Every structure is written in C-alpha cells, then in structure tokens.
Amino acid sequence: MASMHALLHAVARPGSMPCFAVLLLAVTLPAQTQEIPKDGATVERHQSGVQYSVLAKGKGEARAALGDDALVRFAEWLNDGTLVDSTKQRGGQPLRFRIGDPRVPLGLNLGVQLVGRGGRVKLTVPPELAYGKTGQMPRVPPNATMVYEIELVEFVYRPKQPKFIQGDPQKTKVTDSGLKYQVLTEGAGTKPSGRDIVEIEFSIWDVTGKPLGGTYAVGQTATAPIPELSHPFFKELMPMMQPGAVWRLVVPKEQTVQQIDQDTVWQVKMIRWEVAPVMPPRDDEKSTSTKSGLYYQRLREGKGGPPATGWVCELAWSFWRESGSFVAGTKLQGQMKTIVGQSPHKFLDEIIQRMQLGEVMRVEVPQDQTIPKMIPFKTVWQLELLSRKAPLPTPKFELPPDSELTKTASGLRYKVLTRGPADGKPPQNGGQVTVHYAGWLTDGTLFDSSYARVDPVPMQLGGVLPGWTEGLQLMRPGDTFLFVIPPKLAYGARGAGDKIPPDATLVFHISLLRHGQ
C-alpha cells in the first residue's frame, strides 16, 4: 500500500506546482559531538518496520495522535553515529509540527506517538522509511539507516479526520467508470466545470476502515485546478459536487495513481470552487517568434526599459497547457521573483529582457524551455513585469593577514569593518537576525551573495553554520564584520554541493541589519 506521503503528494499531478511549502529547512550543518543514546530496557519493532526503545515513558496515559500538534526536541544521526541534525544545532528551540505531515521525517512523526508528555524515545529507521535510495546529500548518503532520539515536550489535540463510515447499499450509486458514491451531506450552489479550481478536504481508508491519511494530517486543505488533480476519479467527481457537499466514495485502484495498489474508501468535502484564469487568445498578426522557439505577443505595453542580466524581477504569472487548461500561477502560488540569467525556466531569461515595467506578454513555450521534470509539456504563459531592481554591488573580496584578525577559542577569526550604534545589543542564540552577506572560498571564488538578490536575508541563529551563530553574537545592529570560518565551523569534511569542497575554509562579509522579530 502507498505511504501517506505518496497519497498526499499525489493530489497534484506531475507538471503542476507543489501544494505545500517545505516545513523543515534543508540546513547543511557540520558534524558535532552528540552521541547516540543507549537503548532503554526493551527494544521493540513497530509494524512499520521501525525499531524503537522507550527511554522515558513520560507523564500520564494521554498520547499524541495523527493530526495533533507536537512540540519536540530531537537529534538525528546516521547509523555510524554521525550527527545530521538536532534542535541543539538549531539553537535549542523545540520544533513544532503537525503529526502526520509528510514533509516531516517519519521518525519524528512516529516517535511522538509512542510516549507521553516529557517522554523520550530512540528509533532506528531503515532506509526505505527514511531517505531511501537517493539519500539527502551531502549529509545523508543513499540507503542510509537513520537513528533518532525524540523528546515530546508537549502536544495539542486537534480535530481528527472523520470516522470511517460503512456504506449504505441503498444510497450508493455507481458511475460508468466504476466509481461508487454516497452523498453524506448535500451541497448548495452551482457546480464547477471540469477546468475550474477547487478547494477540498479528504480522508482516505482501506476497505477495512484502516486510515491512510488525508488533508487532516497536514492541517491544510488541497487547492488545485481540476485537470491537475492526479487521481483520475477527481476529474469525474468534482463537476458532480456542490460547495459544502460531503461524499463517501469507494474508488477502484485503476481510478487512483499507480502508488495505490488496492481499492480505497474516500470521504471528500468540497469547500469552494472558483473559475480558473482563461488563457489569452493567440493573435498571429501581433506575435513574434524567436530563434529559441518562443512565440510571444504583447498584451499591454510597459515603460522604462527592460531589465538587464543580474537584475531581480518580480512577476505575476499564469500558465496553461496548450489545450487551454490552467495549471498554475500567481492565483495559487503567489508572485514569482527571479534573477535574470538565473531563472528556473530557460525561457524567462530571454523573455524578461524583452519586457518593460508594467508590460504584459503572452508567450508560447516549447517543452525544452521549461524545467522538464516539472513541466514535461508545451505551455502558454501570461507574464506581467511588476518590478525590477538592479543588484546591489557585492563587497570586494579580501583575506586579511592573521595579524589583522581576532581569533576566538573555537578557531573563528574576524575583523571589524564598520561599527553601528554603540548602544545596540548583540543577538542571542536562537534569535532572529536579518543580514546582508557575501561568501567566498579563500581563493576569492564567490559562492553566494545576498547583494545579488537585493533583499536582505532573515534567519535564525542556531539554524545556520556554527561559525555564523558564534560570529553574529559578537555583532551589534549596524556592524559589518569579515569572518574567516574554519571547516569545523562551516561545512566540514563533506563540503556543500558543487560550490564548496570538503574541508573548505570560508570567508564571509556580513552586515547585521537588525535582530528580533
């Protein structure tokens, strides 16, 4: 049977935009000393295949369950004892999440359900239930067994998914496709067309009533254009329902995505629907083709000249399949911000440099001009250039001699470049800071710069490199420091991607603009 992760994330078909934001930030941290705890009195095996040992039972008999909000402290290791992540590394602040959220590692989701408030549990999670064959490089290699220590600080009860209801044969109808449905609650109002956008809640069980997940697990509804819902039965179901309606369905496995290998029972509630944006018509007399295969038409003139390479641009956007079926856009995902020359879709770099401020364009885009794995088909886009900003100048690289640097006990070296107001106070570990920064290798190779993106960056101390966490606590708002960070306080022996090699000393120019919320 498919995992809940597969069930939830299969709501939107391949080629549509993701419905949920990432909950756990992919912060790459160096290995630190924090040892795997010894097992408790007994070691047991959960039905999922996870091995666990309760280290402290916790208070009372109440247990958190799927859909509750949990507050935890945790540590995550590779099986060889290498620390991957922990609340200690993130500044010590407990992590809050909704139990069952597929964006949260399985170990956390399971562990918090095994103990009471204040309890602690150790789990050993096999690769297929952790990061799988791909791993999560550079910290987690492929086929890695993961070990967790989890402390449940607190949990808050939340309304659970509806109870499983046995179908009533007298009230159940069957469509030509084999979809069985029973109306539990009548809706009201008009029904959507097959191309409109719907917002729904749903719960899933196997035919015996075993819960398999749903929108209640993540505490969010699902919103998407009907044609972009991957389960085939949704395309038949949605135009049959009215807002407020609740239906029970028995769905043949052929009417769901391939990960679901048996018939399932669903309870679906339509919350609302809205008309999807209409694709602007093509006017060949006003359209121009480019050598790259784009075919564009100005729908509204702009002013002020086009942005250049490196400029930061904000766009209102929508795109459709060639058939006119709406896929995604500002209406669902918000405005798009991109740097000209670094856009995720190849065609954007070319077309933005043909646009002026306020201009609206219709663009027909071949498949090879978008991200193939995300949009594996020809598309039609409507773009409006809302703003454009020239990048800020990146500070000049310098690597001062040791005689100009102050060295701390940890090995961090720094130089004060400018000072802010003397009455300012430094931030504390775990606090929020807002900075501008640029980072180089010691040979002067620039690997990152917030100046190129124009806007300063907010972050939490403890959730960044240890060298940053230590260094920023030496600064006051308005200060600018240059830091030379040794590997053990940066990315260590693993490095980071293809830009930062193993055991690299890093040079950062950091301006602390402010701290606090």
Side-chain angles (χ1 to χ4, degrees):
M1 186 61 200
S3 67
M4 184 169 66
H5 183 285
L7 290 167
L8 291 176
H9 284 264
V11 171
R13 67 195 273 173
S16 66
M17 303 300 288
C19 295
F20 303 116
V22 176
L23 180 64
L24 295 179
L25 299 178
V27 179
T28 304
L29 298 165
Q32 295 186 0
T33 301
Q34 192 170 341
E35 295 181 355
I36 296 176
K38 295 180 180 180
D39 292 326
T42 61
V43 177
E44 301 180 59
R45 184 172 297 276
H46 187 263
Q47 61 184 9
S48 65
V50 172
Q51 180 178 291
Y52 70 95
S53 179
V54 174
L55 307 180
K57 185 178 178 181
K59 300 177 182 178
E61 298 300 321
R63 294 292 183 267
L66 199 69
D68 289 340
D69 286 341
L71 190 67
V72 304
R73 296 187 182 93
F74 76 97
E76 178 185 36
W77 296 268
L78 300 178
N79 203 32
D80 65 3
T82 301
L83 182 65
V84 173
D85 197 3
S86 71
T87 46
K88 184 176 181 180
Q89 285 183 309
R90 293 169 178 263
Q93 298 297 318
L95 173 71
R96 185 183 300 275
F97 65 94
R98 183 151 294 178
I99 302 170
D101 190 328
R103 299 163 292 183
V104 176
L106 174 66
L108 292 182
N109 272 317
L110 174 60
V112 295
Q113 300 179 64
L114 299 175
V115 293
R117 292 179 173 89
R120 292 187 302 118
V121 63
K122 173 186 174 183
L123 300 100
T124 302
V125 183
E128 63 271 18
L129 298 177
Y131 297 98
K133 296 180 180 179
T134 59
Q136 192 179 77
M137 299 299 288
R139 297 311 309 275
V140 181
N143 297 310
T145 295
M146 306 303 297
V147 180
Y148 293 87
E149 180 185 6
I150 300 164
E151 176 191 354
L152 178 60
V153 179
E154 182 58 275
F155 70 89
V156 178
Y157 173 84
R158 295 295 181 194
K160 302 302 188 291
Q161 69 177 37
K163 292 182 178 179
F164 179 77
I165 298 175
Q166 293 289 348
D168 184 340
Q170 300 300 319
K171 297 180 180 179
T172 298
K173 299 180 181 180
V174 184
T175 68
D176 292 341
S177 68
L179 182 66
K180 298 178 181 179
Y181 69 93
Q182 176 186 341
V183 177
L184 302 178
T185 303
E186 296 284 353
T190 58
K191 301 174 183 178
S193 75
R195 292 191 171 188
D196 289 327
I197 298 168
V198 293
E199 181 180 4
I200 61 175
E201 292 177 340
F202 61 88
S203 298
I204 316 168
W205 299 266
D206 68 13
V207 292
T208 68
K210 178 183 176 181
L212 300 174
T215 53
Y216 287 88
V218 294
Q220 295 180 349
T221 58
T223 304
I226 292 173
E228 298 308 307
L229 297 170
S230 64
H231 298 287
F233 83 90
F234 273 128
K235 298 169 185 60
E236 179 181 15
L237 173 68
M238 291 293 97
M240 298 166 62
M241 297 183 71
Q242 297 169 293
V246 181
W247 288 19
R248 179 191 187 274
L249 304 110
V250 179
V251 184
K253 63 181 181 181
E254 297 80 10
Q255 290 283 334
T256 56
V257 292
Q258 292 180 355
Q259 296 99 316
I260 301 179
D261 58 5
Q262 60 178 276
D263 294 354
T264 45
V265 177
W266 294 61
Q267 184 169 306
V268 179
K269 178 180 180 180
M270 175 177 297
I271 298 172
R272 65 178 184 90
W273 67 269
E274 59 181 302
V275 176
V278 178
M279 185 175 76
R282 175 177 181 172
D283 187 336
D284 289 327
E285 293 185 1
K286 297 180 180 180
S287 298
T288 304
S289 59
T290 69
K291 293 181 179 179
S292 65
L294 303 181
Y295 193 68
Y296 69 92
Q297 170 189 343
R298 285 185 170 85
L299 303 178
R300 187 178 71 202
E301 297 287 342
K303 59 182 180 180
T309 298
W311 283 45
V312 179
C313 297
E314 191 168 13
L315 301 160
W317 59 286
S318 295
F319 75 89
W320 298 260
R321 293 174 184 267
E322 196 174 11
S323 64
S325 176
F326 176 68
V327 178
T330 301
K331 194 175 188 71
L332 296 180
Q333 284 83 19
Q335 294 168 356
M336 179 192 302
K337 183 174 287 187
T338 187
I339 299 175
V340 180
Q342 302 177 33
S343 300
H345 303 290
K346 188 192 302 186
F347 84 95
L348 285 174
D349 290 331
E350 178 180 359
I351 211 70
I352 289 174
Q353 294 182 78
R354 298 174 183 267
M355 300 179 71
Q356 300 184 83
L357 192 63
E359 188 162 328
V360 179
M361 276 194 178
R362 177 190 189 275
V363 190
E364 295 183 15
V365 183
Q367 179 180 336
D368 63 1
Q369 291 285 310
T370 54
I371 302 175
K373 291 183 178 180
M374 181 181 290
I375 309 176
F377 46 83
K378 183 177 179 180
T379 49
V380 178
W381 293 65
Q382 180 174 304
L383 302 171
E384 179 183 357
L385 183 58
L386 301 174
S387 68
R388 52 184 177 78
K389 299 177 183 178
L392 301 174
T394 295
K396 184 179 179 181
F397 171 76
E398 63 171 312
L399 181 56
D402 284 346
S403 59
E404 297 181 17
L405 297 171
T406 301
K407 188 175 183 179
T408 70
S410 69
L412 177 69
R413 292 175 290 166
Y414 68 93
K415 177 181 179 179
V416 178
L417 302 180
T418 60
R419 277 290 193 184
D423 60 350
K425 296 182 179 180
Q428 297 181 344
N429 194 6
Q432 290 287 126
V433 297
T434 301
V435 302
H436 257 312
Y437 70 93
W440 301 265
L441 302 179
T442 53
D443 64 2
T445 300
L446 180 71
F447 59 80
D448 194 13
S449 170
S450 65
Y451 297 92
R453 298 186 292 273
V454 179
D455 295 325
V457 180
M459 58 186 66
Q460 182 178 16
L461 292 187
V464 292
L465 298 177
W468 274 59
T469 296
E470 178 184 355
L472 280 160
Q473 292 180 82
L474 303 173
M475 304 174 68
R476 304 188 299 252
D479 286 356
T480 300
F481 280 28
L482 184 134
F483 291 100
V484 181
I485 303 180
K488 67 178 182 178
L489 299 179
Y491 293 100
R494 293 183 178 272
D498 58 358
K499 291 187 176 182
I500 300 176
D503 296 313
T505 295
L506 306 180
V507 180
F508 282 98
H509 181 288
I510 302 178
S511 293
L512 176 60
L513 305 182
R514 57 186 176 272
H515 64 81
Q517 297 296 329

